[in-house]
Amino acid sequence: MRGRIDSLGNEIDPLSDDDVRAAARHFKACKVEAVAVCLLWSIVNPAHERRVREILEEELPGMPVSYTHSDAADDPPCGDLGGRRILKKKTYHTQHN
């Protein structure tokens, strides 16, 4: 996904809305049940993650999504997915092909 924030919070490359929308469509096609968004340096400048949030809310309404820049007020650390608990943040996910 194109877009980059540096460690000082400066935008190096603008976020590609098209890339985010393509990823959202892929997630939907794959019947993904939840998404975790973790962009580099979002704790310094969350602008890209905020834009990703806007796009995912449009493309995947109702999808449980966790963001690294969020606090507990707008992104609780745990969610429910069809009766199964999802531990967001502080959980490492490994993708297997």
Side-chain angles (χ1 to χ4, degrees):
M1 182 172 311
R2 290 171 287 180
R4 179 68 185 242
I5 301 289
D6 71 15
S7 63
L8 299 175
N10 302 307
E11 183 180 61
I12 302 301
D13 293 309
L15 181 69
S16 169
D17 288 6
D18 291 340
D19 289 356
V20 177
R21 289 185 192 285
R25 287 190 296 271
H26 178 74
F27 297 155
K28 189 173 187 177
C30 292
K31 297 183 175 27
V32 169
E33 297 178 357
V35 175
V37 177
C38 180
L39 302 182
L40 290 174
W41 302 112
S42 63
I43 59 171
V44 178
N45 178 351
H48 284 185
E49 278 199 8
R50 287 181 178 146
R51 181 63 184 139
V52 168
R53 175 180 285 217
E54 291 171 359
I55 294 169
L56 293 183
E57 286 174 351
E58 293 172 14
E59 298 285 335
L60 303 170
M63 173 77 68
V65 183
S66 183
Y67 301 86
T68 55
H69 78 274
S70 300
D71 61 27
D74 64 356
D75 184 26
C78 292
D80 185 68
L81 182 61
R84 298 183 312 251
R85 296 296 287 170
I86 302 169
L87 182 61
K88 295 181 179 179
K89 299 178 188 173
K90 297 184 182 177
T91 300
Y92 295 93
H93 300 276
T94 304
Q95 180 180 5
H96 300 283
N97 293 328

